[in-house]
Amino acid sequence: MSEELLVTARSNALIDPSLHIWTWEVAMYLFMGGLTAGIMVFAALMTVRDKDQVAPFATTRLALLAPIVLSIGMTTLFLDLEHKLFVYRFYTSFQITSPMSWGAWILIVVYPISVLQILSTVRTGYPSFAATIDRLVIGRLITDWCERNRRKIAFSVIPFAVALGIYTGILLSAFGARPFWNSGVLGLLFLVSGLSTAAALVVLIARQKSEKELFTGLDLVLIFAEIALVALSLISLASGSGQHIDALQSVMGGAYTFEFWVLFVGIGLLIPALLEILEMAGISKSLAMLAPVLVLIGGYALRQVVLDAGQESTWTNYATQYNSELLQRLPETD
Amino acid sequence: MTTYAMVIDTRTCIGCGDCVVACKTENKVPDGLNRDWVVEATSGTYPNLKTEFRSERCNHCSNATCVTLCPTGASHHWNDTNIVLVDAEKCTGCKACIAACPYDARLVMHPDGYIDKCTFCHHRVDKGLDPACVSSCPTRCMHFGSLDDPHSKVNHLLKTREHKVLVPETGNDPNVYYLI
């Protein structure tokens, strides 16, 4: 037997009995960050590959969603901060060893690049909005410049959007103290998931048949890639040290087994993959709108389950904690 | 870098918790929070049981992951020593340092929103005094000093007594030692 008991109260509400510092606000940010990365990558790729006819929504209108989605994510992230007035401190230094610091600066670069990407197609995608911008001389000049340099902007968007998508995973995997997160595959998994959710969003919103088909096919490839990356993550944990093997238990029979296998793998990956295969084979069209919705749910479930299971994984554990209910067992004395 | 270490004799510690009270009083730690705590570790099978008392706190690691992962530089090593402090003026309350600590000697959250933690009583160390927990220990089982001074009490104890640190395989290079 080996038992480690806290004799004095540590009573930190955020760490006892197990770490739970981050909740839905951070999971939502990680999801929205990945979705933004996917939106920007696909909008850029469609421009680079001259898909204006095949995929008009993704080429000319999709990019506008990037700053909107990212802003929702950054708002929930801000809600999570405990010392909100000091949020500007992210921008008074750059900490090279901290992925969070990298992320803060990546976000600062992504916003203006996203604006340039929007302006490069705004006259085609949103004519009335473009007319408002064109009323200002400076707006007209910048939009002219963006249109002329549309391909160059698209090429330069890709590395920053990919950095945004990967960083949301590296952010967690850099925590050596949390074995469940500590896998090099996590950055890539979050990027691929972000691309997949963005493809699903296009399928959901786009009206043209050719565009829906193109993005359903893309999403299917991404789902298969994601399944492979999930398998690699699990293998990486299973073949790790004792802490990693313990961490893996949380999704292999432990507290997060249902969320991981049913909500994420089942509802978020396998069922939409099956629906998309049926749809592409022309067997079932009636459930066409269900697959992308499930992919979006699965994308959020991935962030939430990884966030939760990771926080509970640890190097040290006090087998028993102070439990006031035990006092009730003492014999009554008058 | 000056390396300060705490050396705690588990053979003379009786788990009274005076170190915890001394810390709360000295540092005016907010209600309901503690910067240090006492662990009673029991191993073996009845009746052959072995108990060890450990007064635990931040390990003031030489390679502190709470410092490397802090996005703003709020979590830092004080005056080129291994003492890890948090600058409340730079802390956004993002909680990355809490997740970054492999010891679950995790930092406590101050009610105002910034991260608060054991400071090795650097304000006392600055004056040549021991941390409050060390000074108040009734069994004199706690010792504090510089590992760079070959004649320090802590160096003498570590040279002459069997000792351990908590989970050295974290790679964080902790500086709270336990004599066993």
Side-chain angles (χ1 to χ4, degrees):
Chain A
M1 184 203 75
S2 180
E3 179 184 75
E4 305 222 326
L5 177 76
L6 282 169
V7 178
T8 61
R10 187 164 62 175
S11 67
N12 185 342
L14 292 171
I15 61 167
D16 292 318
S18 67
L19 187 80
H20 51 283
I21 49 172
W22 290 328
T23 47
W24 70 270
E25 297 93 337
V26 175
M28 184 58 82
Y29 165 69
L30 296 176
F31 171 69
M32 293 294 188
L35 184 56
T36 305
I39 287 171
M40 292 176 73
V41 165
F42 281 128
L45 279 180
M46 293 302 114
T47 291
V48 169
R49 301 293 302 271
D50 296 316
K51 296 282 185 190
D52 299 57
Q53 301 303 317
V54 184
F57 170 75
T59 320
T60 61
R61 297 168 69 94
L62 177 64
L64 184 67
L65 297 178
I68 298 168
V69 170
L70 189 58
S71 299
I72 296 170
M74 286 188 70
T75 305
T76 66
L77 187 64
F78 179 72
L79 290 179
D80 174 73
L81 292 182
E82 304 283 346
H83 214 200
K84 292 186 172 58
L85 290 177
F86 291 80
V87 64
Y88 70 93
R89 282 300 191 174
F90 279 109
Y91 299 107
T92 57
S93 75
F94 171 62
Q95 302 292 323
I96 197 163
T97 55
S98 165
M100 258 193 204
S101 184
W102 279 88
W105 287 104
I106 287 173
L107 290 168
I108 283 291
V109 180
V110 160
Y111 269 105
I113 287 195
S114 170
V115 170
L116 295 182
Q117 188 182 23
I118 293 164
L119 290 180
S120 71
T121 56
V122 73
R123 286 190 183 132
T124 328
Y126 300 93
S128 55
F129 181 41
T132 316
I133 297 170
D134 282 338
R135 266 186 227 133
L136 292 166
V137 179
I138 183 93
R140 193 169 64 241
L141 290 175
I142 295 175
T143 310
D144 284 344
W145 183 85
C146 289
E147 280 192 338
R148 278 201 306 278
N149 295 287
R150 194 179 145 190
R151 286 179 70 85
K152 283 180 192 155
I153 291 170
F155 273 115
S156 54
V157 157
I158 294 171
F160 289 103
V162 167
L164 173 65
I166 289 186
Y167 126 79
T168 57
I170 305 282
L171 172 74
L172 299 181
S173 68
F175 287 98
R178 305 294 141 202
F180 191 86
W181 293 341
N182 195 212
S183 151
V185 188
L186 204 62
L188 208 51
L189 174 61
F190 276 30
L191 172 67
V192 173
S193 168
L195 291 172
S196 172
T197 49
L201 192 68
V202 174
V203 176
L204 212 53
I205 302 175
R207 289 281 157 264
Q208 195 167 308
K209 190 163 170 281
S210 62
E211 186 161 22
K212 279 182 185 289
E213 283 173 358
L214 173 65
F215 276 88
T216 302
L218 282 171
D219 193 35
L220 192 58
V221 172
L222 289 164
I223 289 177
F224 283 131
E226 211 177 327
I227 291 170
L229 288 168
V230 169
L232 288 176
S233 311
L234 297 180
I235 290 167
S236 160
L237 285 173
S239 55
S241 59
Q243 288 80 15
H244 294 96
I245 293 166
D246 283 350
L248 181 62
Q249 293 312 311
S250 65
V251 295
M252 297 296 243
Y256 297 102
T257 309
F258 174 81
E259 283 88 340
F260 186 82
W261 291 104
V262 178
L263 292 184
F264 168 51
V265 177
I267 293 176
L269 295 176
L270 298 180
I271 295 177
L274 187 67
L275 290 174
E276 285 173 2
I277 290 170
L278 291 176
E279 196 186 324
M280 289 173 75
I283 297 170
S284 166
K285 295 269 178 193
S286 55
L287 294 170
M289 280 298 131
L290 186 60
V293 172
L294 295 183
V295 167
L296 288 164
I297 292 171
Y300 179 79
L302 167 68
R303 271 61 170 202
Q304 186 74 60
V305 72
V306 168
L307 192 72
D308 290 344
Q311 290 184 79
E312 284 196 8
S313 66
T314 177
W315 284 73
T316 52
N317 233 332
Y318 300 110
T320 46
Q321 301 283 340
Y322 172 72
N323 180 355
S324 61
E325 285 174 18
L326 293 178
L327 293 175
Q328 310 301 320
R329 294 199 202 164
L330 288 173
E332 296 267 342
T333 49
D334 296 319
Chain B
M1 186 194 232
T2 310
T3 307
Y4 288 103
M6 198 174 273
V7 175
I8 301 168
D9 192 343
T10 61
R11 289 179 170 265
T12 44
C13 176
I14 53 169
C16 68
D18 265 10
C19 46
V20 177
V21 178
C23 173
K24 272 193 89 78
T25 314
E26 173 72 20
N27 296 302
K28 300 182 177 59
V29 181
D31 277 359
L33 296 172
N34 293 292
R35 291 178 179 179
D36 56 350
W37 51 90
V38 178
V39 174
E40 178 186 325
T42 307
S43 57
T45 311
Y46 180 82
N48 300 311
L49 294 169
K50 192 178 154 200
T51 294
E52 169 183 287
F53 285 109
R54 291 195 308 263
S55 172
E56 293 188 0
R57 61 197 36 61
C58 166
N59 283 289
H60 294 277
C61 303
S62 298
N63 178 27
T65 38
C66 59
V67 172
T68 52
L69 289 173
C70 175
T72 65
S75 197
H76 65 284
H77 279 128
W78 174 67
N79 280 357
D80 203 28
T81 68
N82 61 306
I83 296 179
V84 176
L85 299 182
V86 175
D87 183 346
E89 292 288 310
K90 288 186 183 170
C91 178
T92 64
C94 75
K95 296 166 280 191
C97 55
I98 301 182
C101 176
Y103 288 103
D104 299 344
R106 298 141 172 169
L107 310 144
V108 295
M109 176 67 70
H110 193 277
D112 286 349
Y114 59 88
I115 301 297
D116 189 79
K117 68 182 288 292
C118 164
T119 61
F120 258 2
C121 282
H122 70 294
H123 59 289
R124 290 173 58 92
V125 174
D126 218 12
K127 295 177 193 157
L129 298 169
D130 279 339
C133 53
V134 174
S135 317
S136 67
C137 177
T139 67
R140 298 273 180 268
C141 77
M142 299 176 74
H143 308 273
F144 183 82
S146 165
L147 287 181
D148 303 308
D149 171 7
H151 305 294
S152 67
K153 182 79 186 288
V154 287
N155 257 327
H156 175 71
L157 285 166
L158 294 178
K159 273 179 198 149
T160 54
R161 294 276 305 273
E162 201 182 341
H163 59 269
K164 66 175 180 185
V165 290
L166 298 178
V167 214
E169 54 271 30
T170 60
N172 277 30
D173 208 357
N175 291 301
V176 175
Y177 293 83
Y178 295 94
L179 301 177
I180 49 179

